[in-house]
Amino acid sequence: MLPDYLNNLFSKQSYNADNFFLIAGPCVVENEELVMEVADKVSGICKRLEIPYVFKASYRKANRTSASSFTGIGDETALELVKKVGEKYGLPTTSDIHAHDEAAVAAKYIDILQIPAFLCRQTDLLVAAAETGKIVNVKKGQFVSGEAMRFAVDKIKKAGNNKVILTERGTTFGYQDLVVDYRNIPAMQAHGVPVVMDCTHSLQQPNQTSGVTGGNPQLIGTIAKAAIAAGADGLFIETHPDPSCALSDGANMLKLDLLEHLLESLVKLRRAVV
């Protein structure tokens, strides 16, 4: 059962309370056409399947491997587009922030502040996000155990905000791969917060010599199904009409046309395990 702050977030949507919730969208705001196309398609699917849905797109990508990588179209322009998506389709929205002074700015446009995995221990960032009063979704660092994420939760709650989500996104395995330990899902749920499985970033292959992160998108369904079986409260899936042309993280995004069939399978699996 979702906590009140998530039920309130989804109050404009009609959904099955026994379903997982979905956070999905393109990795980054590339242009208005892209975010509207993805939101239109995904919101329609989720409405039919009664899945509560949060639209996601980063307004800026700060943690890029190469200095030549695409980072965004401008913070205010991108945030305005994310807000426009939320208003047009009646959706809550999320994006990641990278520094404490971004929290209050981003909070004017979005409903959930996402803390990147590399920054999950950054106290000033967590506190600044908490002080906005928005829901704070902290991605578990690739170097942190599920049990240790209680310290991130504690920092946010001690700042006066009990609206927390934790997201599992894999653990570093060597220099150029990640592995998912599904024990982290119940371990983080033990902190009294909903837990999301990031089904796309957990399949990244970082630190490639090309300076562009690789991935294994053919395994997104496997990761998602295992997460539902393990009791995840929500799923995070980055999706794009043509990942091969995406300006960021195309190597591990799900092709938009494949999302509907996957979600249909996951809803059936959810019914079987709840």
Side-chain angles (χ1 to χ4, degrees), residues 149-168:
M149 286 300 291
R150 73 180 177 89
F151 298 109
V153 175
D154 287 347
K155 289 175 183 178
I156 295 167
K157 289 186 174 181
K158 285 179 180 178
N161 188 336
N162 292 319
K163 297 180 287 187
V164 186
I165 300 170
L166 293 178
T167 294
E168 164 63 23

Side-chain angles (χ1 to χ4, degrees), residues 30-108:
E30 298 178 14
N31 52 59
E32 182 170 354
E33 181 182 9
L34 172 67
V35 294
M36 291 299 175
E37 178 182 357
V38 173
D40 183 72
K41 177 79 171 179
V42 181
S43 62
I45 296 168
C46 288
K47 184 176 181 180
R48 181 175 68 81
L49 296 176
E50 299 183 302
I51 299 171
Y53 172 44
V54 179
F55 175 80
K56 181 270 169 186
S58 297
Y59 67 89
R60 172 158 49 92
K61 302 301 294 184
N63 52 343
R64 302 291 83 192
T65 300
S66 171
S68 63
S69 296
F70 177 79
T71 58
I73 60 174
D75 291 0
E76 186 175 356
T77 300
L79 282 166
E80 287 283 4
L81 285 176
V82 174
K83 182 180 179 181
K84 186 175 181 179
V85 166
E87 291 174 345
K88 180 173 181 178
Y89 293 98
L91 299 172
T93 58
T94 186
S95 187
D96 40 352
I97 59 173
H98 303 87
H100 70 278
D101 55 356
E102 294 177 30
V105 175
K108 298 175 184 177

Side-chain angles (χ1 to χ4, degrees), residues 255-269:
K255 195 171 188 299
L256 185 58
D257 288 347
L258 301 177
L259 182 64
E260 184 167 16
H261 177 68
L262 175 59
L263 291 177
E264 288 173 344
S265 299
L266 294 172
V267 168
K268 291 176 183 177
L269 179 58

